[in-house]
Structures are given as C-alpha cells and as structure tokens.
C-alpha cells in the first residue's frame, strides 16, 4: 500500500467544555476523494481548520506527505501543497475575479517582497491565473468585480483560489453550501473534473454529491468518528443511519 | 480575446477621468501657484504650501498602511516628530549635513517602526489602534523628559540641513524639494500598491485568514509595509522640521495623529491622491473656517439682522465646534471622502 | 531609604491608580458591551471637573457640589449617547475613533464657551485641607486619602453591581455574548444608554476628585485617556478585574518610576548617566510594561473569556 497523503492520529480539540474534535483518526490515500460527513456542529469545520493550521489542536498529530505538520504555520502548509476552501465564502469582493485567482497564484510563487513591477503585467502570474479560471468555467467573468458574481459563481471562485496554489491535497469545506440544485450540479461537475487528478478531502452536506464523488467516507458525530469506509458500506451502516442519515432519508 | 487583451483591463490605461484631472490640476497648481504668490510678494502662501506638502507626504504614507493595508495606526505623528528631531538634535551639536540628517531619520524611524510594529501587529482591531496610540505617546513623553533638547518648550533649529548644490535655506528651494518629494512619494506608493507586495498587503486588509491559506506570511508583509510607511512619514517630518526651524513634542501629540488620520479619511482612504486632497481640505478648513463664519455673520448683518449677524461673527472664534461637527458628519455620511465623491460623479457621468 | 517618602509615593501611585481605574472601568464596560471605542471618554473627566468646580464655588459646599455634579455628568453622557454615539454602534472601529475624535473637539470648545479658556481652581473645605499622620513620621494630605478611599469604595460598589445585581448580570451577559442579552428580551437600547452613562459618570467622578489638586482645565482628559487605554490593554479589554489590577499596577509603576528610577539606576550606572537616563526611561516605563505584556499575553492579563 502506498503512503497516505494525509494521516491524522488522535486529533483532539475542545472549546471550553465542548469537545469539537474528539480523538479523530483519518487517512487519505493519494488521488482519492475522501468525504467527511456529519450533522451540523459535528466538528467538520474545526477538523478542516486544524488540518489547514488555522486552529492548533490540543492533542494529536497531523502528517502530510510523511511529514509532521501539526505545528507548521498555515502559510507554510500552503507552500507544502495543502489548500483549503472556506465554508463561508472568502473571496476578495473589492477585486476582480482574475485578481482573486492571481493573488492565490502569487501566494504560491515564492515570496512577495517585490515592490515595483505591476502584477497585472506579469505573465508569470496572470497566465496561470487565467488557466485556473478556465478549469472552473469562470473565464468569461475574469475582469468583472467579484462583488458582481452570484453566490454559485463565488463558490466556484473559492475553489479556483484553492486550485491556483497547485495543491497536492484539497480541503473543501462544504463547497455546495447555500447553493440551489442547478448551481450544485455545476459544482459537482467541476469536482468530478478534479477527481482522480487531485487528492481531496471533501466536507459536504449534500448526500447525493457525496455518494457521486467519494471513494471513502468518514462519518463524524459530536467530534467523534463513528464510521469510516466505502460509500456503499456507510450507506448500509446501521449506526450511521440512526445517528445521521435517518433524519435525511 | 487573448489573455493579454483581457488582462490589460485590470489597470485601465488611457482614460484619465475626473479624478485624474483633479489630481493633475492640483499638482499643476502646487507646481506654480505658491511660487507665483511668492514672486508677487505673498510669501505667506509659500509657507502654507510647504506645510501642506509636508503633511501631504505624511498623509500619503499613512494611507499606505491605513487605506491599502487596513492597519489603523493612531500614532503616525510620532514619526513626524522623530524625523524632525533627527534634524534638530544633530543640528544642536552643529552637525548640519543633510547626508547625516536624512539617513539618520530613515534608520531611526525604520527601527522604531520595526520594533513597535512587530509588537502592534501581534494584535488586531481595537488593540492595534490603542497600542499604536500608546507608543506614539511614549515617544511624546520621551522627548518631554529630555531637558537637554528643550523638553516641553521645544528646540530651535538654527541651520537647515545642508546639501551640496541645493540650498534649502532658501524658502523657494525648500518648497520645491518638498514638492518633488511629494511627487516621488505618490509615485512610490502607486508602484507599491500594484506590485506583488501591494497585492499581498491589500489582500491582507480584507481577509487575513484567506491570505494565509493561499501561502502568504501576512505578518511579515504587514510589518514591512508598516516600516515603509513609518520611514516615509519620518522623511516628511524631517522636511517639516527644516521648514519650521523649530521642533517640539507637541508635533507628535496623539491629537496630531488624529488629524493626520482625518486627512486620509476626508480625502478618501485607499485612493492614491485622496490623502493630498484631504490634507488640502483639512488645512484650508482650519485656516478659512473662522473667516467663513465671519462672512456668514456679515451677510446676515447686511440683510438687516444686525444682532444675529454680530452674534455669528462673535461665534467665529469658536470655529472648532463647527470643525468637530464637520468631522463627525464626514464619518457618518461621506465615508469615501472627497475621492469617493469624485468617483461617484465619474460613475454617474459614465452611465 | 526614606520610609516617609516611600509611603507618600505609594499613596500618590495609588491615587493615580484609582483615578485610572475610574476612567478605565467605563472604557472597558462600553467596549465590552457595545464594542465601541470612545476616544472622547476623557471629555467626561474634564466635564466632571468643570461642573463640580462651578457647583462647589456656587454652593460653597464641596460635598454638595460633587453630589450634584455626578447626575449632571451622567445626563451629559445620556445626551451624548442618544444624539451621537448610538448612531455609531453599527459602524466599524475606525469610524468610532474618528467620530469620537470629532466629539473631543466639540466638548473642548463647548467647555471653552460655557466656562472659560482658563482653568478653574476648586477650593477644598477646611476639614479636607489638613494632614493626617498615617504612621509615625508619615504625614499625608487628608484629601489624598479621601481620593484613594472614594476610588476604592467605587471599585467595591462596581464589583457588587456587576457580580450581584440584575443589571450586573446583563452586563456580564452582554460582555460575553451580545446576542444573548437581546434574546433575554431586554431593551438593549436602554441598556446601552445606561452603560454609557455609567461610564461617563465614573469618568466625571474621577475628574471631580482630581480638580481640587490640578484645577479643571480644557484638554485635561486628553492626556490621561491614553494612560487609561494602556490600562485596559494591559488588563485585557472588556475585563473589569483586569482594569482594576492594571490601573493600580500602572499608577504605582508610573509614580514610583519617576521618583526612584534614578536611585535604582545608580546601583549599576554612574551617577551622571543615571540622572540623565532615568527621566527618559521613567517616562516610558508604563509603555515598556505594556509592550512586555503584549509579548507574553497579547490579549492582556485577564482576557475576556469569549469574544
Ligand atoms: N471558535 C470557536 N469557539 C467556540 N466554539 C466553537 C468554535 N468553533 C466551533 N465551535 C463549536 O465546535 C462545534 C463544532 O463546530 P463546527 O466545526 O463548525 O461544526 P460543523 O462544521 O460540523 O458544522 C460546535 O459545537 C461549535 O459551536
Ligand atoms: Mg462547518
């Protein structure tokens, strides 16, 4: 068996009395799409934030590509090949769509202590940014202000910014959050396009999307992993049905 | 459309627009107006303009961190003072070379910005505002305690910085040195905010977490920006010290920092030329408001309401009350400042 | 070391400490509950000094003057909140500092119009002019003890109100979770006005206490307000306990630093070096303390639990 891209052991994080991540174990194999599902407040965002470095775990270890990154700063993790998207859309509304992605490309291209040359005339940045926009189908909106975009388009841009850093592992926090059926379908298409090319850890609420995309599913309830396995096994798992799927089915 | 053709539109070149014309007009006026007044024997305007230009440089430097970087520093007057003392203290010991004064300013302000910035930037929001304020007050009290250099009473600078060829003892020459420095400051900020560094700074203003997630060490970029701004403001202070021939801790009282902030906000924060417009508006208002109130009183007097008119005239010495009110109204109703107003006129014309 | 001098300096430090606490407690309450930064808080300190000065002179009674001045300053606080400050709550912190900076100009100019550009001195009644022999050989002005006593009494009263009354419960709830207070069905607007006015009253009271010593003068609030900011940064913004502890620490450090730092430096510096460097360093002492606290506890000594 090949070494997993991401390997999480004993991860624990609590806020005051609430244990948001409780002894979580997780492994993501190369080029797999691994879904994390669970009801609201299960600790999915908290998990992603610890993986991205925005939160420091109380206990446990995070290994990425064989390296212990538990205490590595978020921006360094990005350079190591870890990218995340946010559940709450975090694009720069005062910039154009292309500028948003260009900013992500730039973040990935070494340091930014370059004070003189305008970015907009820098093909090293603009070309890859434009290529990334094409990947998510936003190339026609390149020069529109991000504030003019629909919610669905902003979610696409959110993904584009993560992709622009050429990550080895994509952490996607509810990419379909707040989307209508049509917009969701577009997003599923985009993610299907990435499947098999990128390793992904996908947090999602939308069950159809999860079962359409995931190779592996982990179920999180009250910060704890209650089940993990192939989608069809999870679907038929009694504990999962009771704890989580029951109220959706 | 090719990538190049599309990307060219990120930075609209060609159309100058209303804001551009206003900038050109103001700069053209500053280039010839004060000198003309000086030749016509109105030296007062040259003085006013020199002060305006020095404070404009300071406002431009504050705008770099406040407007583009979202770092709300309430302590920028400290750099004006530090810069001025970097001229005054060496001059006190008869070291008058500008090649000592200005490098010293850069080193001192750079170091102060680096040390205090490193601490301030560990915090956010209100903490940042208050801490920058506190550090500037620290510098203020530091100079108040230095009896050797005049303490509260300040220090007279007998000789301005000496440079070969350029003699800034001459008021006109000093003015043009300041004016060219302002042009340079504006151009430098323009280049910086469109560079990679500038994009990193502007991104960190809106969403630091997102910036870290795409690989930026936001702390390092912000600190660097803070230092650049501090050095630039210190440079403005060194010029101001040369112009006034006198320095005192009062130059860096925290209320001075507040005024500097208002120049940026009134002009339009985060716009290239806004701070200059703001400094212009601020100094003009400070200068003209008492006269305006007098005029108003006169008008009422002419209309037959002589008592009311006289009352208004008498009130003109309390112009600060109106000034304070105007500041609050600006904050409440005109957050984009003058630049914002110009922008909305521009937009309406286009539609 | 001269014990009498030391005790006197300790009392001076304590006096500065309680004054700082009276200012900082209002600031920290207003910030904790309304998330509002008020630069003009020092203006209430000034207004308090002027109002009490006028009343004391007019009524020829110190106690009566101060007692009447407190509700007047509270009323000024209410007016300020209703007319100006209320509209600023939804704005960001930058707008807060800018608008309240404008408020300072207005307060200073109004004081100028109502009173005079010169300060007013406040006479102390005879029974407060005396001196007290605190310890054998340690003689202190009795009014100094009154200031410290009054300040500590207010601190206790505040502690009681915050920890034992319904209002205090709302204040604590508001400081840790703003939406919760709304959910409790409390008229949040009134609560905000009340808290703001209490803050104004506390600052005004500090101004009244100090007026007989320093006179009431325009701009008197603008210097001390920055020190009050240092207090709440060190104590942790929003924390009452932090404000108290930090106010006392800073009052003591500032006062003792100014009188003893040169002696301390002489222990390892030459006399001349010590005497030239001590004033500069002691002027910066509290800021250095603030910087050190920031390095180790960026949220202050007593960070509020949830924010
Ligand atoms: N910053 C925080 N402070 C305190 N509690 C938090 C914080 N973030 C999350 N929580 C709590 O942790 C739990 C998990 O939250 P979250 O990770 O957002 O869940 P999910 O993303 O699965 O909906 C919730 O009970 C939430 O209230
Ligand atoms: Mg979530």
């Amino acid at each position: 068996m090949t070494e997993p891209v991401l390997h999480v052991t004993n991860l624990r994080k609590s806020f005051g009395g609430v244990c948001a991540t409780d002894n979580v174990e997780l492994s993501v194999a190369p080029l797999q799409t691994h879904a994390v599902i669970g009801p609201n407040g299960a600790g999915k965002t908290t998990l992603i934030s610890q993986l991205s470095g925005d939160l420091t775990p109380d206990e446990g270890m995070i290994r990425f590509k064989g390296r212990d990154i538990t205490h590595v700063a978020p921006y360094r993790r990005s350079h190591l090949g870890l990218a995340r998207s946010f559940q709450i859309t975090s694009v720069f509304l005062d910039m154009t769509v292309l500028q948003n992605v260009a900013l992500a490309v730039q973040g990935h291209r070494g340091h930014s202590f370059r004070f003189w040359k305008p970015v907009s005339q820098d093909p090293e940045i603009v070309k890859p940014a434009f290529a990334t926009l094409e990947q998510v189908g936003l190339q026609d909106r390149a020069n529109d202000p991000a504030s003019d975009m629909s919610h669905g388009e902003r979610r696409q841009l959110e993904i584009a910014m993560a992709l622009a850093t050429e990550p080895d592992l994509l952490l996607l926090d509810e990419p379909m959050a707040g989307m209508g059926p049509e917009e969701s379908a577009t997003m599923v298409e985009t993610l299907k396009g990435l499947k098999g090319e990128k390793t992904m850890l996908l947090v999602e609420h939308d069950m159809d999307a999860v079962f359409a995309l995931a190779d592996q599913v982990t179920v999180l309830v009250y910060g704890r992993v209650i089940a993990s396995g192939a989608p069809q096994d999870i679907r038929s798992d009694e504990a999962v049905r009771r704890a989580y799927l029951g109220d959706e089915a | 459309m090719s990538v190049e053709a599309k990307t060219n539109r990120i930075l609209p070149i060609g159309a100058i627009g209303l804001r551009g014309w206003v900038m050109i007009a103001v700069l053209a006026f500053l280039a010839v107006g004060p000198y003309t007044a000086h030749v016509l024997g109105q030296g007062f305007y040259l003085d006013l303009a020199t002060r305006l230009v020095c404070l404009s440089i300071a406002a431009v430097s504050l705008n770099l961190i406040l407007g583009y970087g979202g770092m709300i520093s309430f302590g920028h007057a400290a750099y004006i003072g530090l810069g001025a003392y970097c001229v005054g203290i060496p001059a006190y010991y008869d070291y008058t070379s500008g090649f000592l004064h200005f490098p010293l300013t850069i080193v001192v302000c750079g170091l102060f910005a680096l040390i205090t910035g490193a601490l301030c930037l560990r915090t956010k929001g209100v903490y940042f505002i208050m801490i920058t304020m506190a550090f500037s007050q620290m510098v203020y009290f530091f100079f108040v305690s230095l009896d050797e250099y005049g303490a509260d009473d300040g220090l007279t600078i007998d000789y301005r910085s000496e440079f070969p060829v350029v003699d800034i003892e001459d008021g006109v020459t000093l003015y043009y040195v300041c004016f060219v420095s302002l042009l340079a400051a504006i151009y430098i900020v323009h280049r910086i905010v469109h560079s990679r560094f500038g994009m990193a700074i502007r991104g960190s203003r809106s969403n630091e977490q997102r910036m870290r997630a795409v690989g930026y060490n936001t702390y390092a970029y912000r600190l660097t920006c803070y230092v650049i701004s501090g050095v630039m403001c210190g440079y403005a202070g060194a010029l101001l010290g040369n112009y006034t021939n006198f320095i005192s801790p009062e130059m860096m009282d925290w209320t001075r920092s507040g005024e500097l902030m208002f120049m940026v906000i009134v002009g339009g924060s985060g716009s290239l030329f806004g701070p200059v417009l703001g400094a212009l508006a601020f100094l003009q208002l400070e200068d003209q408001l008492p006269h305006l109130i007098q005029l108003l009183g006169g008008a009422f007097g002419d209309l037959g309401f002589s008592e009311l008119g006289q009352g208004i005239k008498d009130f003109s010495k309390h112009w600060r009350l109106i000034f304070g009110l105007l500041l609050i109204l600006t904050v409440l109703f005109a957050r984009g400042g003058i630049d914002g107003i110009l922008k909305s006129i521009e937009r309406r014309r286009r539609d | 070391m001269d014990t009498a001098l030391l005790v006197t300096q300790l009392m001076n430090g304590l006096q500065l400490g309680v004054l700082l606490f009276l200012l900082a407690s209002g600031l920290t309450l207003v910030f904790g509950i309304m998330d509002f930064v008020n630069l003009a808080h020092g203006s209430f300190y000034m207004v308090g000094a002027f109002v009490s000065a006028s009343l004391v002179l007019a009524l020829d009674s110190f106690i009566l003057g101060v007692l009447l001045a407190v509700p007047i300053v509270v009323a000024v606080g209410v007016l300020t909140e209703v007319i100006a400050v209320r509209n600023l709550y939804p704005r960001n912190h930058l707008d807060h500092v800018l608008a309240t900076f404008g408020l300072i100009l207005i307060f200073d100019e109004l004081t100028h119009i109502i009173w005079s550009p010169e300060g007013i001195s406040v006479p102390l009644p005879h029974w407060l002019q005396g001196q007290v022999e605190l310890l054998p050989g340690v003689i202190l002005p009795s009014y100094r003890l009154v200031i410290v006593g009054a300040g500590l009494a207010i601190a206790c009263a505040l502690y009681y109100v915050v920890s034992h009354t319904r209002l205090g419960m709302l204040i604590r709830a508001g400081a840790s979770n703003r939406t919760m207070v709304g959910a409790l069905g409390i008229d949040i607007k009134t609560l905000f006005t009340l808290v703001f006015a209490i803050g104004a009253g506390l600052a005004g009271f500090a101004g009244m206490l100090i007026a007989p010593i320093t006179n009431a003068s325009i701009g008197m609030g603008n210097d001390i307000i920055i020190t009050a900011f240092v207090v709440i940064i060190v104590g942790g913004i929003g924390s009452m306990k932090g404000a108290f502890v930090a106010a006392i620490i800073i009052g003591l450090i500032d006062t003792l630093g100014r009188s003893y730092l040169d002696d301390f430096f002489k222990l390892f510096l030459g006399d001349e070096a010590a005497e030239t460097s001590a004033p500069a360093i002691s002027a910066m002492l509290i800021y250095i303390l603030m910087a050190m606290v920031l390095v180790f506890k960026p949220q202050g000594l007593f960070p509020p639990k949830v924010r």
Side-chain angles (χ1 to χ4, degrees):
Chain A
M1 199 184 136
T2 52
E3 189 186 10
V5 176
L6 180 76
H7 188 68
V8 178
T9 40
N10 279 325
L11 204 67
R12 189 191 297 274
K13 172 88 192 170
S14 48
F15 299 107
V18 188
C19 206
T21 306
D22 194 353
N23 219 347
V24 166
E25 310 261 339
L26 193 76
S27 228
V28 183
L31 300 185
Q32 285 226 310
T33 300
H34 192 124
V36 174
I37 62 173
N40 256 328
K44 306 182 294 295
T45 299
T46 308
L47 174 63
I48 295 271
S49 293
Q50 289 170 90
L51 299 179
S52 70
D54 292 310
L55 288 174
T56 314
D58 299 339
E59 268 175 52
M61 179 157 55
I62 304 166
R63 293 182 77 86
F64 177 61
K65 296 195 287 189
R67 181 177 160 175
D68 179 3
I69 59 160
T70 318
H71 296 287
V72 172
Y75 77 92
R76 290 238 165 83
R77 296 189 199 196
S78 164
H79 287 286
L80 290 175
L82 200 67
R84 79 172 284 187
S85 77
F86 291 84
Q87 182 175 358
I88 299 167
T89 314
S90 300
V91 302
F92 297 95
L93 295 178
D94 53 349
M95 296 184 183
T96 65
V97 175
L98 186 58
Q99 275 176 325
N100 267 279
V101 184
L103 203 54
V105 172
Q106 184 191 321
H108 176 63
R109 300 272 153 128
H111 65 79
S112 294
F113 287 108
R114 300 196 190 172
F115 300 90
W116 211 245
K117 190 177 169 190
V119 175
S120 57
Q121 290 159 20
D122 192 342
E124 198 188 324
I125 302 258
V126 176
K127 284 211 170 111
F130 201 81
T132 312
L133 279 183
E134 281 173 334
Q135 224 175 333
V136 299
L138 284 176
Q139 65 276 22
D140 293 332
R141 309 289 315 252
N143 289 303
D144 295 337
S147 53
D148 284 1
M149 294 203 300
S150 70
H151 176 73
E153 287 172 319
R154 287 183 198 178
R155 298 300 296 168
Q156 295 280 348
L157 178 56
E158 180 80 32
I159 305 291
M161 288 180 76
L163 276 177
T165 64
E166 297 174 21
D168 298 318
L169 173 62
L170 262 175
L171 307 169
L172 302 173
D173 196 355
E174 301 201 22
M176 275 113 193
M179 283 184 164
E182 218 167 285
E183 290 174 331
S184 290
T186 315
M187 181 61 80
V188 171
E189 282 316 303
T190 303
L191 296 182
K192 269 191 181 151
L194 296 172
K195 190 171 153 61
E197 279 178 34
K198 293 272 176 208
T199 316
M200 288 190 275
L201 185 72
L202 171 70
V203 164
E204 194 37 74
H205 241 50
D206 182 336
M207 282 310 121
D208 296 336
V210 168
F211 291 118
L213 289 164
D215 305 310
Q216 283 282 314
V217 178
T218 293
V219 187
L220 214 57
V221 175
Y222 291 126
R224 231 172 266 194
V225 176
I226 62 160
S228 197
Q232 59 273 19
D233 298 338
I234 293 296
R235 219 195 271 265
S236 55
D237 186 303
E238 206 35 50
V240 177
R241 292 194 80 90
R242 247 182 296 123
Y244 180 50
L245 294 179
D247 52 357
E248 297 242 334
Chain B
M1 212 191 296
S2 74
V3 174
E4 282 76 15
K6 279 185 178 222
T7 53
N8 264 344
R9 272 198 280 146
I10 293 179
L11 214 184
I13 312 165
I16 291 179
L18 180 61
R19 294 156 74 215
W21 284 116
V22 168
M23 173 163 109
I24 291 169
V26 171
L27 288 179
F29 179 76
L30 286 177
V32 294
Y35 179 66
T36 314
H38 171 75
V39 170
L40 297 176
Q42 301 281 322
F44 166 74
Y45 289 104
L46 188 69
D47 280 352
L48 190 69
T50 311
R51 213 167 92 82
L52 165 69
V53 169
C54 291
L55 289 176
S56 293
I57 299 172
V60 166
S61 77
L62 176 58
N63 184 41
L64 179 62
I65 53 170
L66 175 69
Y68 291 104
M71 292 170 258
I72 307 174
S73 163
F74 209 118
H76 237 49
Y79 297 96
I80 293 190
L82 282 173
Y85 273 97
C86 283
V87 175
I89 293 179
Y92 177 74
Y93 295 110
D94 287 331
Y95 293 109
T96 53
S97 169
F99 291 123
L100 170 66
H101 296 171
F102 282 80
L104 185 67
T105 300
I106 290 169
V107 170
V108 168
C109 291
L111 274 180
F112 183 72
L114 186 67
I115 296 168
T116 59
L119 289 166
C120 297
L121 287 166
R122 287 168 58 89
T123 66
K124 291 204 175 54
V126 199
Y127 276 89
F128 186 82
I129 300 177
M130 291 184 189
I131 290 161
T132 50
M133 206 173 197
F135 278 128
S136 85
Q137 200 69 355
M138 174 179 90
V139 180
Y140 171 85
F141 282 121
F142 176 74
F143 282 104
V144 165
S145 75
L146 291 183
D147 289 330
E148 183 67 18
Y149 309 117
D152 262 349
D153 300 328
L155 181 67
T156 306
I157 305 177
D158 292 325
Y159 302 101
R160 286 182 176 160
S161 307
E162 276 172 12
F163 290 99
V165 187
V166 196
D167 175 19
I168 61 172
E169 275 314 323
D170 173 48
V172 174
T173 312
L174 175 63
Y175 174 72
Y176 279 106
V177 167
C178 295
F179 179 65
V180 171
S181 302
L182 173 62
L183 294 181
I186 294 173
Y187 184 63
I188 289 172
V189 168
H190 169 77
R191 293 300 297 227
I192 287 180
V193 298
H194 289 100
S195 71
R196 289 194 187 193
F197 179 77
M199 295 308 285
I201 288 303
R202 287 153 75 184
S204 309
R205 173 190 60 188
S206 320
N207 192 338
E208 230 183 315
Q209 191 185 25
R210 166 51 108 184
M211 289 298 281
R212 281 192 224 111
V214 291
Y216 291 90
N217 180 0
T218 51
Y219 180 81
Y221 296 121
R222 301 186 122 193
L223 184 55
T224 308
C225 189
Y226 192 80
V227 172
I228 294 173
S229 168
V231 166
M232 197 183 274
C233 192
Y235 178 85
L239 288 178
L240 200 65
N242 267 302
Y243 155 67
T244 54
N245 285 329
F246 173 75
I247 45 179
S248 80
E250 204 272 334
M251 292 171 92
M252 46 187 138
D253 189 77
W254 67 271
T255 52
R256 295 274 161 282
S257 299
E259 290 174 10
L260 219 46
M261 242 160 103
F262 257 106
M263 291 177 195
V264 174
I265 302 299
V266 167
S269 70
S271 70
L272 189 62
F273 198 62
V276 181
L277 295 176
L280 186 64
F282 196 92
L283 291 183
Q284 278 299 308
L285 212 55
E286 211 177 43
D287 194 48
Q288 297 297 323
L289 202 55
H291 302 300
L292 287 177
I293 301 174
Q294 290 251 350
L295 277 180
L296 186 72
F300 272 100
D302 292 343
L303 289 171
F305 305 101
S306 56
E307 268 181 34
L308 179 62
Q310 193 54 45
I312 293 178
K313 274 187 179 173
D314 289 344
F315 188 72
S316 70
K317 64 173 180 285
H318 300 303
W319 59 274
R320 277 198 189 80
L321 192 67
I322 311 291
F323 197 58
L325 265 176
L326 283 175
L327 295 186
I328 296 179
L329 291 177
T330 314
V331 174
L332 284 177
F333 302 110
R335 271 297 264 107
I338 300 173
D339 186 76
I341 295 171
L342 293 177
K343 221 186 253 174
S344 65
I345 296 175
E346 225 172 43
R347 201 172 305 131
R348 214 167 304 150
R349 279 245 208 90
R350 209 179 314 131
D351 294 344
Chain C
M1 208 186 282
D2 184 348
T3 331
L5 185 64
L6 179 64
V7 175
T8 311
Q9 294 297 357
L10 279 175
M11 282 308 283
N12 287 346
L14 220 49
Q15 173 189 314
L16 179 59
V18 297
L19 289 175
L20 285 174
F21 170 70
L22 288 177
L23 276 159
S25 55
L27 272 178
T28 218
L29 268 181
V30 168
F31 182 78
I33 296 167
M34 286 95 101
D35 196 21
F36 181 73
V37 195
N38 185 15
L39 292 187
H41 196 67
S43 295
F44 297 119
Y45 178 77
M46 172 185 72
V47 170
F50 272 94
V51 171
S52 79
S54 296
L55 288 173
V56 168
L57 290 173
L59 302 172
D60 201 22
S61 158
F62 184 75
I63 298 281
L64 218 54
V66 169
L67 282 183
L68 275 176
V70 171
I72 293 180
V73 179
V74 169
V76 173
V78 170
L79 273 181
T80 312
E81 204 267 354
V82 172
I83 296 173
V85 170
R86 180 174 286 184
N87 303 309
L88 291 163
Y89 293 145
R91 302 300 197 89
N92 59 30
H93 292 146
L94 175 59
D95 285 4
H96 295 171
V97 294
L98 290 168
T100 53
F101 185 75
L103 268 182
I104 293 179
L105 294 183
I106 294 178
F107 270 114
D108 281 356
E109 203 57 37
L110 281 177
T111 309
H112 182 156
I113 294 173
I114 297 174
W115 286 278
S116 67
E118 294 90 44
I120 309 179
S121 60
V122 184
L124 277 176
H126 281 297
W127 55 275
L128 281 179
Q129 281 175 9
Q131 300 193 318
V132 179
E133 188 159 6
L134 200 64
L135 296 169
V138 181
I139 299 167
L140 289 171
S142 31
Y143 186 62
R144 199 136 281 175
L145 296 177
V146 171
I147 294 185
V148 172
L152 292 178
I154 295 279
C156 293
L158 261 179
Y159 173 76
Y160 177 79
V161 168
V162 171
S163 56
H164 287 94
T165 63
R166 185 175 152 72
L167 175 65
M169 186 211 61
L170 291 175
I171 287 175
R172 274 177 292 138
S176 58
N177 188 345
R178 261 166 235 121
T179 43
M180 191 170 113
V181 179
L184 287 173
I186 304 300
D187 179 8
I188 204 132
K189 264 188 170 176
T190 315
L191 179 70
F192 282 6
T193 309
L194 194 66
V195 168
F196 191 86
I198 292 176
L202 288 168
F205 186 64
M208 294 166 205
L209 286 179
I210 202 69
I213 298 182
T214 63
N215 295 353
S217 64
I218 290 178
M220 66 189 279
N222 296 351
D223 286 338
I224 198 165
I225 192 69
I226 306 293
T227 317
F229 280 144
V230 174
V231 166
I232 64 175
I233 292 165
V234 170
I237 304 183
S239 160
M240 210 53 158
K241 186 162 102 195
F244 184 76
V245 173
I248 300 297
I249 293 178
I250 282 174
L252 286 173
I253 286 190
D254 194 46
T255 313
L256 297 182
R258 282 172 207 277
S259 32
Y260 290 112
L261 202 64
D262 51 349
D263 290 340
F264 178 65
F265 278 7
K266 276 176 196 163
L267 295 179
F268 41 88
L269 284 178
D271 277 11
E272 201 184 334
E275 260 157 36
T276 45
S277 61
I281 303 293
S282 65
M284 300 196 296
L285 213 51
I286 60 171
Y287 304 99
I288 295 170
L289 171 76
M290 175 188 81
M292 282 180 348
V293 169
L294 280 177
V295 170
F296 297 107
K297 301 196 86 174
Q299 298 280 304
L301 295 177
F302 299 93
K305 293 238 164 44
V306 187
R307 167 96 310 167

